[in-house]
């Protein structure tokens, strides 16, 4: 079965960077896009961007442009999301999710989420 | 960015009730509209895609309708396991956006 398993919780200081991993299994990794979504405590889901696992092409939300980098390692069937210049408002759960449906237009499988806490 | 607005933000309902949640887009998004269910502390789960297509394994009491700017998620007979927060999400634009969520609580 399709599984996306994310790395564990992180605690970071303001100004630092965090890199979250998302290990995919149960499907052909390079056939799908992987998206990243942020959810601050009690807040709505926020789309951050995606990466094509096939060719590494990326697309980022303007809100995170310049601070977020999404990469992938096809040999490890793993995607990564790195967020830099962290501030307290970045405290959130970060999810990876696989794009599916016609035209890669929905997110049909999600990771379990990774809590990132930013505090001095 | 395309703004997605859900109503209501929260509702209280009883088991067996019919529940309707609406989602409005700030511009036409054709049928590029998905619905997700999120239970407390868990990852979202895809319920409906392309406005009205039920994801495999999702109970038939869930249904979706609409196109253009106005969309609806209906739960025909609310069950105890349906108490959760529901989000709409557009994939018409290359920059995806979610609604603010609708929390369905027990009355």
């Amino acid at each position: 079965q399709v599984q996306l398993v994310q790395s564990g919780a992180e605690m970071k200081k303001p100004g630092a960077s965090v890199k979250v991993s998302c290990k995919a299994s149960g499907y052909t990794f390079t056939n799908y896009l992987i998206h990243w979504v942020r959810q601050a405590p009690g807040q709505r889901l926020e789309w951050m961007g995606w990466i094509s696992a096939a060719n590494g092409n990326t697309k980022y939300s303007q809100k995170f442009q310049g601070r977020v980098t999404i990469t992938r390692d096809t040999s490890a069937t793993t995607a990564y999301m790195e967020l830099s210049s962290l501030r307290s408002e970045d405290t959130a759960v970060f999810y990876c999710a696989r794009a599916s449906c016609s035209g890669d237009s929905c997110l049909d499988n999600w990771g379990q989420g990774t809590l990132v806490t930013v505090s001095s | 960015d395309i703004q997605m607005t859900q109503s209501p933000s929260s509702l209280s309902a009883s088991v067996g009730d019919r529940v309707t949640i609406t989602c409005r887009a700030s511009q036409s998004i054709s049928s590029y509209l998905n619905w997700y269910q999120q239970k407390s502390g868990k990852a979202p789960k895809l319920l409906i895609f392309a406005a009205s297509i039920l994801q495999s394994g999702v109970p038939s009491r869930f249904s979706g309708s609409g196109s253009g700017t106005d969309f609806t998620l209906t739960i025909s007979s609310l069950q105890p396991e349906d108490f959760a927060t529901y989000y709409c999400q557009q994939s018409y634009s290359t920059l995806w956006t979610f609604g603010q969520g609708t929390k369905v609580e027990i009355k």
Side-chain angles (χ1 to χ4, degrees):
Chain A
Q1 76 283 17
V2 174
Q3 274 197 303
L4 298 173
V5 179
Q6 298 182 221
S7 48
E10 302 261 14
M11 186 162 289
K12 295 292 181 181
K13 293 194 181 301
S17 297
V18 68
K19 191 170 185 176
V20 179
S21 68
C22 172
K23 167 75 174 174
S25 61
Y27 71 97
T28 302
F29 180 67
T30 50
N31 283 357
Y32 293 83
L33 307 183
I34 293 286
H35 290 242
W36 288 88
V37 175
R38 183 176 84 169
Q39 188 171 40
Q43 301 301 307
R44 75 171 71 190
L45 300 164
E46 279 187 291
W47 177 78
M48 300 180 71
W50 57 256
I51 186 166
S52 165
N55 59 22
N57 287 349
T58 55
K59 181 76 173 179
Y60 300 128
S61 164
Q62 290 168 344
K63 178 170 183 175
F64 298 98
Q65 189 85 39
R67 285 209 301 145
V68 67
T69 304
I70 301 174
T71 57
R72 96 288 189 220
D73 179 343
T74 55
S75 63
T77 66
T78 299
Y80 303 91
M81 185 283 300
E82 184 170 22
L83 189 63
S84 62
S85 303
L86 290 169
R87 36 214 188 221
S88 58
E89 309 89 88
D90 292 317
T91 293
V93 176
F94 293 81
Y95 294 100
C96 63
R98 187 185 78 163
S100 188
C101 307
S102 174
D104 298 318
S105 60
C106 75
L107 300 174
D108 71 340
N109 282 275
W110 294 64
Q112 82 277 18
T114 297
L115 175 62
V116 175
T117 303
V118 182
S119 174
S120 55
Chain B
D1 291 6
I2 297 175
Q3 306 303 315
M4 307 299 294
T5 304
Q6 292 180 230
S7 61
S9 295
S10 65
L11 65 89
S12 295
S14 301
V15 172
D17 283 354
R18 182 182 182 87
V19 168
T20 299
I21 299 168
T22 63
C23 177
R24 175 164 289 176
S26 60
Q27 67 181 74
S28 177
I29 57 170
S30 185
S31 295
Y32 289 89
L33 191 282
N34 306 312
W35 290 98
Y36 300 87
Q37 176 193 66
Q38 186 179 34
K39 296 183 178 178
S40 181
K42 300 294 186 183
K45 172 187 172 183
L46 177 66
L47 295 178
I48 288 169
F49 62 94
S52 62
I53 302 175
L54 201 64
Q55 171 70 344
S56 176
V58 173
S60 59
R61 62 181 179 273
F62 291 93
S63 64
S65 65
S67 67
T69 60
D70 294 309
F71 301 86
T72 299
L73 172 70
T74 299
I75 309 172
S76 60
S77 177
L78 197 66
Q79 297 302 300
E81 59 268 31
D82 300 337
F83 292 95
T85 300
Y86 294 84
Y87 292 93
C88 62
Q89 172 252 318
Q90 65 80 20
S91 54
Y92 177 82
S93 163
T94 56
L95 304 177
W96 291 11
T97 44
F98 289 86
Q100 82 276 19
T102 295
K103 188 172 184 179
V104 177
E105 299 175 302
I106 301 173
K107 194 171 191 178

